[in-house]
Amino acid sequence: LKEGKIIKNEAMVFPLWYYRKMAGLTHKAIGERCGVSMSAVSLWESGKTVPRKRHWPVLEEMLNISEKQLLDSIEEGRKRCASGKDGAG
């Protein structure tokens, strides 16, 4: 897939890092808009922590995804982290 071409099929679950990369964004850009550090964004992507609910609308807008896609992505990251798989790309 080319950068910026985000798949809109809500039945498929993609990790947060996928959406970030497809949107052409950095940890820094997302962190600045959410008011958190780059490492916080990295932790969200790995599933080690989750974004607070107040960050969801910003993430949805920046990543051009629905709330369902965001929540599914967060849950997938948490599952991968719990299983010992790296959630970040």
Side-chain angles (χ1 to χ4, degrees):
L1 289 176
K2 293 184 179 181
E3 190 171 297
K5 297 283 186 180
I6 297 175
I7 294 175
K8 288 295 193 179
N9 183 348
E10 291 198 13
M12 299 178 75
V13 178
F14 297 98
L16 278 177
W17 64 261
Y18 170 85
Y19 294 120
R20 177 181 56 78
K21 287 185 177 186
M22 290 299 104
L25 298 169
T26 63
H27 289 140
K28 182 178 180 180
I30 292 175
E32 285 176 354
R33 279 282 304 276
C34 290
V36 299
S37 67
M38 292 185 302
S39 61
V41 176
S42 180
L43 289 171
W44 296 345
E45 290 183 355
S46 71
K48 293 178 182 169
T49 64
V50 298
R52 293 179 186 248
K53 191 167 185 174
R54 70 174 182 252
H55 298 129
W56 296 0
V58 176
L59 292 169
E60 292 163 19
E61 177 190 335
M62 290 186 80
L63 303 176
N64 193 29
I65 59 175
S66 68
E67 182 175 307
K68 180 184 182 325
Q69 287 173 303
L70 177 64
L71 296 177
D72 288 348
S73 184
I74 290 168
E75 181 60 27
E76 181 65 20
R78 291 179 56 89
K79 286 179 187 176
R80 289 182 64 82
C81 183
S83 70
K85 296 177 182 174
D86 184 6

